[in-house]
Amino acid sequence: MGHNCVNSTPHATHECGANQAGSFFTPMKPPLSFSDQLNLMSTRGLTIDDRELALKRLSETNFYRLRGYWLTYERDGRFIPNTTFDSIWNTYALDCALRRWVWDAIAPIEIKARALFAYHMAMECGPLAHEDNRYFRSARAHSHSMESLIRERNRALRDGAPCAVHNVEKYGDLPIWAAVEIMSMGTVSQLYGNLDPAKSGVAKSIAGEFGVKPFILRSWLRHLTYIRNICGHHSRLYNRVMTTRANLLKKDSGYDSDKEFPTFLVLKRIYDRSWPERWPSMLDGLEALISAHESVSLNPMRFPLEWREVLG
């Protein structure tokens, strides 16, 4: 106690600051009070108009959560002149609103993907085909998906989920139409992406109902799973580099990037095919929340100036 000895690996640390590999770590910084955190931001050039409100917001969010939102407001470790705490907070508020909008937009897509996977898999291959690695390209990847499904099934049984309890008690297993109800979107996406087109037409049938080819749908489901996890864990979406990118349709290729706008294009294309009547009101909602934070630039998200027309 009292020494900054941090063991960041499972290996033993022989002396303060050194691990078995001989690496040395910088001593851990001491914690700062909310007031000191605000003082630090001020010394770096941030304008704070209402200190009490800023302190309250810091205590409700966390310095390092807000830290990601002022990346576009700083240069060389200092804030750009005239940057205010309110500027950062408005960026954070826009991101919160966008994450809620995206989460709601993805929900019916996830449910549709589950339903179609269950239906086509069962009708063509049988009620337990999802457990048979013969229908999948990679046995190793399929095994990983089954491990995830077992964890999800055990959790559902512990929670008393009726679809899990009924089928396990009656049949000793979960048929695919019940299994999808306790699968995460990630598990569904992994199973779909691993389907072997030489063994069944399931992948093509599901993609056809989304109006695209299987390789496009594989990419979209994988990307939307990644985005859903960002939203579900309240992580920053604004000005984020997408490590899991979506393949865009040819007509949208001019807007391709590793930022956020392609996500909105993918959502538009799915809704155009599946629920075209819903999209106009959703787009109005998106425009309203962006207008409510009009001081925040959309450039870091690679939104074009004509984004409303592109998504219309």
Side-chain angles (χ1 to χ4, degrees):
M1 300 297 291
H3 296 284
N4 288 317
C5 296
V6 179
N7 188 359
S8 65
T9 75
H11 304 297
T13 300
H14 292 295
E15 58 185 73
C16 185
N19 61 20
Q20 283 185 334
S23 300
F24 288 84
F25 304 110
T26 300
M28 188 68 68
K29 294 186 293 186
L32 296 179
S33 67
F34 291 126
S35 182
D36 286 340
Q37 291 171 19
L38 209 56
N39 291 340
L40 177 62
M41 296 163 76
S42 181
T43 63
R44 292 176 178 174
L46 184 68
T47 298
I48 302 166
D49 295 320
D50 187 332
R51 184 176 177 88
E52 289 305 312
L53 180 59
L55 282 171
K56 181 176 185 294
R57 287 174 167 168
L58 265 181
S59 70
E60 293 172 347
T61 51
N62 186 22
F63 180 92
Y64 264 88
R65 172 173 288 272
L66 285 183
R67 174 71 180 83
Y69 295 94
W70 70 66
L71 294 174
T72 57
Y73 295 98
E74 69 175 358
R75 297 289 183 274
D76 301 321
R78 290 191 59 81
F79 289 99
I80 296 170
N82 301 318
T83 299
T84 67
F85 189 93
D86 285 345
S87 302
I88 298 168
W89 187 259
N90 285 335
T91 305
Y92 172 72
L94 172 62
D95 187 54
C96 290
L98 284 174
R99 281 188 277 110
R100 288 191 294 269
W101 187 94
V102 169
W103 175 273
D104 289 341
I106 291 175
I109 299 171
E110 176 181 358
I111 293 170
K112 179 175 179 174
R114 288 180 181 182
L116 292 177
F117 182 77
Y119 179 79
H120 288 288
M121 200 75 187
M123 294 299 290
E124 183 172 343
C125 306
L128 293 176
H130 60 293
E131 298 181 3
D132 190 340
N133 64 18
R134 291 178 300 171
Y135 293 107
F136 300 89
R137 292 178 296 175
S138 167
R140 182 175 181 181
H142 178 262
S143 177
H144 177 74
S145 296
M146 288 301 98
E147 289 172 3
S148 297
L149 178 56
I150 289 170
R151 288 194 297 271
E152 291 157 355
R153 183 182 66 181
N154 290 342
R155 186 181 306 117
L157 291 172
R158 286 196 304 270
D159 293 342
C163 71
V165 173
H166 167 74
N167 282 280
V168 169
E169 287 183 349
K170 187 171 183 178
Y171 304 110
D173 209 339
L174 294 180
I176 183 59
W177 51 83
V180 294
E181 290 304 313
I182 56 95
M183 282 184 193
S184 67
M185 187 176 182
T187 301
V188 175
S189 174
Q190 290 165 11
L191 287 170
Y192 177 80
N194 193 25
L195 283 170
D196 189 341
K199 299 295 178 60
S200 77
V202 173
K204 186 175 181 180
S205 295
I206 297 172
E209 299 211 37
F210 278 94
V212 294
K213 294 181 178 179
F215 84 94
I216 291 288
L217 184 59
R218 276 198 303 272
S219 164
W220 286 2
L221 292 179
R222 185 167 175 262
H223 175 72
L224 292 179
T225 298
Y226 167 73
I227 295 297
R228 182 190 184 281
N229 290 340
I230 289 173
C231 296
H233 290 96
H234 313 294
S235 299
R236 176 171 53 87
L237 184 62
Y238 180 87
N239 191 26
R240 188 185 191 103
V241 174
M242 298 296 162
T243 57
T244 301
R245 296 171 61 174
N247 291 329
L248 299 183
L249 301 181
K250 285 185 178 180
K251 58 185 174 183
D252 297 327
S253 60
Y255 299 102
D256 192 20
S257 78
D258 62 356
K259 302 309 280 289
E260 293 83 354
F261 190 65
T263 302
F264 292 84
L265 277 171
V266 167
L267 292 171
K268 170 186 166 52
R269 296 307 174 199
I270 293 176
Y271 273 81
D272 281 349
R273 172 75 180 200
S274 299
W275 311 284
E277 74 285 354
R278 296 190 203 176
W279 187 249
S281 62
M282 292 178 63
L283 192 55
D284 288 344
L286 178 62
E287 185 173 31
L289 69 87
I290 288 175
S291 296
H293 304 89
E294 60 183 0
S295 64
V296 182
S297 173
L298 299 181
N299 289 336
M301 301 176 71
R302 297 296 187 272
F303 270 59
L305 291 176
E306 71 283 9
W307 69 266
R308 184 61 170 79
E309 290 70 28
V310 175
L311 295 179

